[in-house]
Amino acid sequence: MKELRNTKQREEVLHSVKALCNHPSAEEVYAHVRTNNPNISKGTVYRNLNLLTDLNEISKVEMPGNEPDRFDVRTDNHHHAFCRICKKLYDFELDEDLSIKGHIVGKEFLSEKSQLILTGICQDCLSKEKE
């Protein structure tokens, strides 16, 4: 396999995901990178986000519905709660591994990674609704 050069653009993209630390979308990362590098293309940011995901330096959170995917500095096995009102994404861990009830028909399956996304309303938005 060809060794990858560590490019300035990739470092800027990684730095932006870490600096934003809020599970940013690709568009948010692009806007953040442009503050320091206004000539960077959207394609370069998107390619580097995908490459950083492939290299396991960040993780991609595939969002439900029509929400844009988000990117996470955490690459360990953890889960997310998504507020459908304010669109914030929160990390959480489960006390124990999930036990899968049932089976995948006709195939053995080795799970390498799992990700659960809970959709609902965060405490801040619930408080605002009650006012």
Side-chain angles (χ1 to χ4, degrees), residues 32-68:
H32 189 267
V33 170
R34 283 188 52 115
T35 60
N36 292 324
N37 185 351
N39 295 324
I40 196 165
S41 73
K42 191 179 284 191
T44 297
V45 171
Y46 278 64
R47 271 191 306 280
N48 279 291
L49 284 168
N50 288 323
L51 182 58
L52 289 164
T53 300
D54 291 344
L55 295 171
N56 202 38
E57 292 191 38
I58 61 173
S59 60
K60 182 188 287 189
V61 182
E62 295 179 8
M63 298 298 293
N66 293 326
E67 293 296 324

Side-chain angles (χ1 to χ4, degrees), residues 10-111:
R10 190 172 323 124
E11 288 176 14
E12 289 174 338
V13 170
L14 180 58
H15 171 75
S16 292
V17 173
K18 288 180 178 180
L20 292 168
C21 71
N22 64 344
H23 302 93
S25 67
E27 285 293 322
E28 291 170 320
V29 174
Y30 174 62
H32 189 267
V33 170
R34 283 188 52 115
T35 60
N36 292 324
N37 185 351
N39 295 324
I40 196 165
S41 73
K42 191 179 284 191
T44 297
V45 171
Y46 278 64
R47 271 191 306 280
N48 279 291
L49 284 168
N50 288 323
L51 182 58
L52 289 164
T53 300
D54 291 344
L55 295 171
N56 202 38
E57 292 191 38
I58 61 173
S59 60
K60 182 188 287 189
V61 182
E62 295 179 8
M63 298 298 293
N66 293 326
E67 293 296 324
D69 291 341
R70 306 280 192 88
F71 294 88
D72 195 347
V73 296
R74 289 184 59 183
T75 58
D76 62 315
N77 197 19
H78 67 284
H79 307 285
H80 295 94
F82 173 66
C83 178
R84 64 178 175 77
I85 295 175
C86 68
K87 309 298 185 191
K88 287 183 183 171
L89 195 62
Y90 301 89
D91 291 334
F92 73 92
E93 288 84 26
L94 295 172
D95 290 335
E96 54 189 63
D97 288 337
L98 291 174
S99 170
I100 298 172
K101 304 291 183 202
H103 62 281
I104 298 171
V105 177
K107 299 285 182 188
E108 290 295 322
F109 187 81
L110 173 64
S111 177

